[in-house]
């Protein structure tokens, strides 16, 4: 032992001597980056590491490859000329650590350039991390590249550090795992850019591998709930062998799996199993295809099923306990369904919370508390702190730059000084959406409440995003004489009062929310039509009194008598041949000219509720016919002065893609009963006398309803019912105009049935369901139509809305009232696509199959096009 100690002492002295004679003080960093303290220069004195010497800094210089000014580097080092520094000591290490912590440099050295007496010359040598000149993505498609560019943080000009590479690698792996590529390999490699010196090109190589999906879901311990019910409760982690999951994603995403486990327990809670827990779970690669599938194993402890025993209320003074209990719709003995309890307290439209919120109690609070759990029973106490009623202090509007503020405010049901009501806010939001001037995308339309409990007031701020809703339609339709060109300009934010205000022209005077529509249709010499309409939704500006005015003119030419004109378009066996035949048979002596003008006014009603409105209109049409064989009046003039009243109710939540609500209207139109007043024998009168002033009465009923079938309101069921009836005062003076033309898409551009009402029915050719009199004139005097449609959105954005649909439809048209049979309908079914763009309106295409025969032939497959209208 005595010999070992001297030997160890000798070895330690030798090592220390060698170490003291070195010319480097080196500090190692993590990874491959090196940061050094170097002693350099000629004839420098030997450093004594056991006895550091103090020097005065005479000069500091900076060298190396970096983009910083020398004074910045020197200032950051903490060294100053004139300062004292010990060599060797931790003073040098502290300088190096200061730079190292920034992560900006690949190499840091503190060099001694010279030592003379007690003065020292120091050089700071720094090599900066290279910057990115280019990023290459290898092994991924454009969509993934775009998403990675947003999140990786690898942008031109930033420095390539180990931290940046590591962070980008983790993000990429997480991104692919969230999209089902659980075993994706990511390799990010920087390499020198020979063309740009200290810059690096970064290659991001990705091997996504195969998308990992859930093969089997195994559940153990589920004695009360079936596996299929629990499987369906989970939204993303589903057994691919379950047919109920056919349209669901079966990708395995860890985060979604965690969410699904919560939904799994929520489903148990709905059935009263409040103590249900997942005891264990595991995700295991499928033994047959581990690179493609995983199996999920869940073991659950259901616990006991609980029921409500006693439900009590405390703190309620506005509403008595019996009334609140009826609203709650839960009673003693019911299964302890926590989801339903929360819905009836806070979520449903008629929940308990809304009772208070619709009565001004903005500051109220309600807390359900389990006061006792015994055996299988729960005693629940619902504690209410009602607070005082709140009144509205200020109403602010943000985002209405295209409209005058008063145009927005007139749609609001919330006014300063009013009692706060949640239903008024929701109705205001609906009315703003219905104007079409604001984006209805999620997050684009919102309400911000700023309550002041001390003063009992609340400030409301409507957060909107204005959008231009004007429409330009430039389209072409197939008419009887070939192609019909259509140009329509619809300005939905027009302002008459700004006509002489050049600052408000964009491109026409705007700001008051009025609607001006200009429309022209032409086929050259065969057909021309022009129309103008104007709508003021708030006549006078104080009440929602709707005023409208329209005027139109059209001229349509017929065919030469040298051609066979007895076949009508809807019955011609070869449509293409018929169009070619008709386009070459122009006869300027055969025509119908129509001039019309109409004006109306309507208002919103407060009873039965304020979704109702009433509209009255007076209109006049003048028909000038020459050898026109499609009406009972072939040559002459006819006048139509009619009055109409429409009672309607519209509660749709959105005008373009509604997901809930309804739209119903009942219209009654009539002309004066001339035949009851003029004493003319119309049974023996000539055509001109009979139809100089036409007479009729007309009843129309239309309804649509929308029901969301999924919680996110995307899958929507639409139902439609229509009925029309054209009556007469005198059978011998029965109107040849205002009849119904049924069948097809309603997009024929125009037809010889101008002066009739077009009713679309998909699956059948245009007008093919319309009956005719023996002389060829139209005889569609009564019709009915029923539709059920299932819609699902593909894209719902401010700039574009796209949705697909499937439908079944039935309808028919009759000549005589005695022939009417609502059970004898022509049936069809099909699918379609709709695209809505603010500048062009609604566009679409449908394929439908007509199941029934028309004129002895099954209608079969038909394509229909939609421009600016719904079926």
């Amino acid at each position: 032992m005595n010999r070992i100690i001297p030997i160890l002492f000798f070895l330690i002295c030798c090592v220390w001597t060698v170490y003291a004679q070195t010319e480097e003080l080196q500090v190692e960093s993590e990874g491959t980056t090196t940061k050094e303290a170097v002693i350099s220069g000629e004839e420098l004195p030997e450093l004594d590491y056991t006895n550091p010497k103090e020097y005065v800094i005479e000069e500091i210089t900076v060298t190396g490859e970096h983009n910083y000014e020398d004074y910045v580097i020197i200032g950051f080092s903490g060294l100053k000329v004139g300062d004292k520094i010990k060599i060797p000591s931790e003073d040098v290490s502290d300088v190096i650590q200061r730079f190292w912590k920034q992560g900006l440099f690949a190499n840091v050295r503190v060099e001694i350039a010279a030592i003379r007496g007690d003065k020292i010359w120091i050089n700071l040598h720094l090599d900066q991390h290279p910057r990115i000149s280019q990023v290459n993505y290898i092994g991924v498609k454009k969509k993934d590249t775009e998403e990675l560019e947003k999140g990786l943080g690898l942008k031109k000009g930033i420095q390539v550090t180990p931290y940046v590479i590591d962070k980008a690698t983790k993000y990429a792996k997480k991104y692919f795992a969230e999209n089902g590529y659980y075993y994706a390999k990511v390799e990010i490699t920087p390499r020198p850019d020979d063309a740009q010196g200290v810059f690096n090109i970064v290659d991001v190589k990705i091997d996504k591998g195969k998308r990992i999906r859930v093969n089997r879901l195994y559940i153990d311990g589920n004695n009360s709930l079936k596996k299929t019910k629990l499987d369906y409760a989970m939204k993303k982690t589903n057994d691919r062998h379950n047919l109920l999951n056919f349209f669901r994603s079966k990708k395995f995403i860890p985060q979604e799996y965690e969410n699904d486990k919560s939904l799994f327990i929520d489903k148990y809670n709905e059935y009263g199993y409040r103590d249900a827990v997942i005891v264990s779970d595991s995700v295991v690669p499928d033994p047959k295809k581990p690179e493609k599938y995983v199996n999920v194993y869940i073991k659950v402890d259901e616990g006991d099923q609980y029921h409500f025993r006693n439900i009590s209320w405390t703190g309620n003074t506005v509403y008595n306990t019996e009334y609140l209990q009826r609203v709650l719709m839960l009673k003693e003995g019911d299964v302890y369904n926590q989801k339903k309890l929360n819905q009836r307290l806070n979520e449903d439209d008629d929940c308990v919370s809304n009772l208070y919120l619709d009565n001004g109690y903005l500051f109220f609070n309600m807390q359900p508390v389990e006061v006792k759990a015994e055996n299988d029973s729960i005693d629940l106490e619902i504690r209410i702190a009602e607070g005082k009623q709140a009144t509205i202090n200020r109403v602010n509007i943000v985002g209405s730059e295209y409209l005058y503020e008063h145009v927005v405010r007139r749609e609001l049901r919330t006014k300063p000084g009013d009692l706060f009501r949640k239903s008024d806010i929701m109705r205001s939001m609906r009315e703003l959406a219905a104007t079409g001037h604001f984006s209805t995308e999620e997050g684009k339309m919102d309400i911000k409440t700023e309550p002041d409990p001390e003063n009992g007031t609340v400030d409301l701020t409507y957060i909107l995003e204005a959008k231009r809703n004007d429409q330009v339609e430039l389209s072409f339709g197939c008419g009887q004489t070939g192609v019909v060109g259509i140009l329509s300009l619809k300005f939905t934010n027009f302002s008459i009062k700004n006509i002489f205000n050049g600052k408000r022209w964009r491109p026409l005077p705007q700001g008051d929310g009025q609607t001006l529509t200009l429309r022209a249709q032409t086929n050259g010499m065969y057909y021309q039509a022009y129309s103008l309409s104007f709508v003021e939704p708030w006549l006078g500006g104080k009440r929602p009194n709707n005023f409208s005015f329209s005027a139109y003119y059209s001229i349509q030419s017929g065919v030469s008598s040298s051609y066979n004109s007895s076949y009508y378009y809807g019955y011609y066996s070869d449509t293409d041949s018929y169009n070619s035949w008709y386009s070459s048979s122009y006869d300027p002596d055969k025509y119908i000219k129509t001039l019309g003008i109409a004006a109306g006014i309507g208002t919103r009603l407060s009873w039965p509720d304020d979704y109702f409105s009433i509209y009255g209109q007076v209109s006049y049409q003048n028909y000038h016919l020459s050898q026109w064989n499609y009406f009972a009046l072939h040559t002459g003039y006819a006048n139509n002065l009619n009055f109409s009243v429409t009672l309607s109710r519209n509660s749709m939540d959105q005008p373009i893609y509604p997901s809930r609500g309804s739209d119903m209207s009942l219209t009654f139109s009539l002309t004066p009963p001339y035949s009851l007043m003029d004493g003319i024998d119309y049974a023996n009168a000539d055509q001109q006398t009979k139809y100089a002033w036409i007479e009729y009465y007309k009843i129309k009923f239309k309804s649509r309803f929308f029901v969301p079938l999924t919680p996110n309101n995307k899958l929507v069921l639409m139902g439609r019912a229509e009925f029309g009836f054209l009556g007469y005062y005198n059978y011998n003076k029965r109107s040849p105009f205002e009849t119904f033309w049924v069948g097809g898409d309603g997009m024929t551009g125009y037809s010889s049935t101008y002066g009739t009402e077009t009713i679309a029915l998909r699956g059948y050719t245009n007008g093919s369901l319309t009956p005719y009199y023996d002389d060829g004139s139209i005889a569609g005097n009564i019709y009915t139509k029923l539709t059920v449609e299932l819609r699902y959105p593909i894209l719902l954005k401010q700039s574009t809305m796209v949705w697909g649909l499937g439908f079944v439809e039935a309808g028919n048209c009759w000549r005589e009232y005695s022939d009417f049979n609502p059970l004898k309908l022509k049936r069809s079914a099909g699918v379609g696509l709709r695209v809505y763009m603010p500048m062009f309106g609604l566009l679409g295409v449908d394929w439908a199959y007509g199941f029934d025969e028309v004129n002895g032939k099954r209608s079969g497959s038909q394509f229909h096009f939609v421009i600016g209208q719904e079926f």
Side-chain angles (χ1 to χ4, degrees), residues 786-855:
L786 302 172
T787 304
V788 175
E789 193 169 281
L790 199 61
R791 303 177 172 188
Y792 190 83
I794 300 171
L795 179 66
L796 292 180
K797 297 291 184 182
Q798 177 179 337
S799 58
T800 307
M801 293 186 181
V802 183
W803 65 91
L805 55 90
F807 63 88
V808 291
E809 202 160 67
N812 209 345
C813 186
W814 295 269
R815 170 179 171 176
E816 300 295 342
Y817 315 133
S818 58
D819 298 332
F820 173 65
N821 184 350
L823 300 180
K824 189 178 180 180
L825 305 178
K826 305 296 184 181
R827 301 159 299 166
S828 65
V831 295
L833 183 71
R834 297 289 183 273
V835 178
Y836 175 82
M837 293 180 287
M839 283 297 294
F840 299 99
L842 187 66
L843 307 173
V845 60
D846 287 331
W847 172 84
Y849 188 88
F851 297 104
D852 295 299
E853 293 183 354
V854 178
N855 298 322

Side-chain angles (χ1 to χ4, degrees), residues 169-206:
T169 302
K170 290 178 179 178
Y171 178 89
K173 288 183 176 180
K174 179 183 177 184
Y175 168 77
F176 287 109
E178 289 176 350
N179 285 274
Y181 297 96
Y182 200 58
Y183 301 118
K185 297 178 181 178
V186 179
E187 181 182 347
I188 301 179
T189 308
R191 54 187 172 88
D193 187 346
D194 296 334
Q196 299 193 51
V198 297
F199 283 80
N200 273 184
I201 297 173
V202 177
D203 294 325
V204 182
K205 298 180 181 179
I206 296 170

Side-chain angles (χ1 to χ4, degrees), residues 742-753:
V742 180
D745 51 25
M747 293 302 298
T748 56
Y750 67 95
S751 70
S752 62
T753 59

Side-chain angles (χ1 to χ4, degrees), residues 230-350:
L230 295 169
D231 184 6
Y232 195 75
M234 302 169 75
K235 300 299 182 184
K236 300 291 184 179
T237 312
N238 303 113
D239 192 318
R240 73 185 186 95
H241 298 278
N242 185 350
L243 291 177
L244 295 176
N245 299 323
F246 184 79
F247 293 104
R248 287 182 157 195
S249 170
K250 273 76 71 177
K251 294 181 294 186
F252 179 76
I253 300 173
Q255 183 59 48
E256 295 293 348
Y257 174 52
E258 293 301 317
N259 296 335
D260 279 341
K261 286 194 289 185
S262 297
L263 295 175
F264 183 95
I265 294 301
D266 289 344
K267 179 57 66 175
Y268 267 105
N269 293 160
E270 286 183 37
Y271 287 86
Y273 295 92
R274 63 189 285 273
D275 298 330
V277 293
I278 294 177
V279 176
S280 63
D281 68 284
S282 59
V283 180
V284 180
D286 184 74
K288 295 182 179 179
K289 295 183 178 180
E291 76 288 351
K292 189 174 181 180
Y293 295 113
V294 294
N295 296 324
V296 177
Y297 295 84
I298 296 177
K299 185 175 182 180
V300 62
D301 180 2
E302 296 180 331
D304 296 327
Q305 186 181 42
Y306 288 82
H307 298 77
F308 288 106
R309 185 168 62 184
N310 297 314
I311 302 176
S312 59
W313 301 76
T314 61
N316 55 305
T317 62
V318 178
Y319 302 102
N320 61 48
T321 298
E322 290 75 16
Y323 179 67
L324 292 177
Q325 193 63 46
R326 289 198 301 272
V327 174
L328 184 62
M329 299 174 63
L330 292 172
K331 62 184 184 300
E332 179 183 343
D334 286 351
V335 169
Y336 187 67
N337 186 336
Q338 296 181 39
K339 180 179 180 180
K340 185 177 180 180
L341 175 64
N342 187 55
Q343 289 174 338
R344 295 308 305 153
L345 288 177
N346 300 300
E347 296 179 2
D348 291 345
D349 292 338
D350 58 345

Side-chain angles (χ1 to χ4, degrees), residues 572-590:
Y572 208 87
S573 59
D574 186 344
T575 302
D576 292 334
S577 300
Y578 180 82
N579 286 337
S580 175
W581 161 76
Y582 198 8
S583 62
S584 62
S585 60
Y586 169 68
D587 186 345
D589 295 326
K590 293 186 176 183

Side-chain angles (χ1 to χ4, degrees), residues 532-547:
L532 175 149
S533 67
F534 171 80
V535 177
E536 165 57 83
W538 282 70
L539 184 63
K542 294 183 179 180
R543 291 183 56 81
N545 296 323
N546 183 320
F547 171 77

Side-chain angles (χ1 to χ4, degrees), residues 560-772:
S560 172
S561 58
S562 61
Y563 293 87
N564 180 9
S565 59
S566 61
Y567 287 97
Y568 182 65
Y569 176 74
Y571 289 97
Y572 208 87
S573 59
D574 186 344
T575 302
D576 292 334
S577 300
Y578 180 82
N579 286 337
S580 175
W581 161 76
Y582 198 8
S583 62
S584 62
S585 60
Y586 169 68
D587 186 345
D589 295 326
K590 293 186 176 183
Y591 58 79
I592 176 174
K593 298 178 181 179
T594 306
L595 174 66
I597 189 170
I601 189 168
T603 189
R604 188 182 297 159
L605 302 177
S606 58
W607 186 89
D609 61 37
D610 58 5
Y611 289 109
F612 277 88
S613 62
I614 191 168
Y615 177 79
Q617 177 179 279
V618 57
S619 63
Y620 169 78
Q621 293 88 34
N622 174 265
Y623 301 99
H624 180 196
L625 301 91
S626 175
Q627 304 178 46
W628 199 255
N629 298 326
Y630 302 105
F631 292 107
L633 175 64
H634 298 164
T635 300
Y637 293 87
N639 299 281
N640 178 7
L641 176 65
N642 69 84
F643 307 89
S644 65
V645 176
T646 300
L647 179 66
S648 62
R649 185 183 188 276
N650 186 340
S651 62
M652 296 191 305
D653 59 344
Q654 295 183 33
I656 306 303
Y657 188 82
S659 60
R660 61 179 69 246
S662 61
D663 181 18
M664 296 181 291
S665 66
L666 177 63
T667 302
F668 183 73
S669 306
L670 77 163
T671 65
Y674 304 108
S675 63
L676 302 181
M677 300 182 295
D678 56 20
I680 298 176
D681 181 10
Y682 287 104
N684 299 310
D686 60 66
Q687 286 188 343
Q688 182 59 69
T689 301
K690 185 181 297 185
Y691 301 120
W693 289 91
I694 63 174
E695 64 175 24
Y696 63 87
Y697 64 90
K698 192 174 187 179
I699 301 171
K700 292 186 296 181
F701 172 77
K702 295 184 177 183
S703 69
R704 293 185 299 165
F705 68 86
F706 301 87
V707 178
L709 301 181
T710 55
N712 58 10
N713 293 341
K714 289 189 174 182
L715 183 62
V716 177
L717 177 68
M718 188 274 285
R720 185 201 314 267
E722 295 184 20
F723 172 80
F725 177 85
L726 181 65
Y728 56 86
Y729 306 117
N730 186 325
Y731 182 83
N732 295 311
K733 193 175 167 61
R734 199 170 188 174
S735 173
F737 303 97
E738 299 298 325
T739 53
F740 303 107
W741 197 64
V742 180
D745 51 25
M747 293 302 298
T748 56
Y750 67 95
S751 70
S752 62
T753 59
Y754 199 83
T756 68
E757 185 171 348
T758 301
I759 308 298
L761 189 69
R762 292 165 286 189
Y764 298 88
T765 56
N766 295 310
S768 61
L769 303 184
T770 308
Y772 289 80

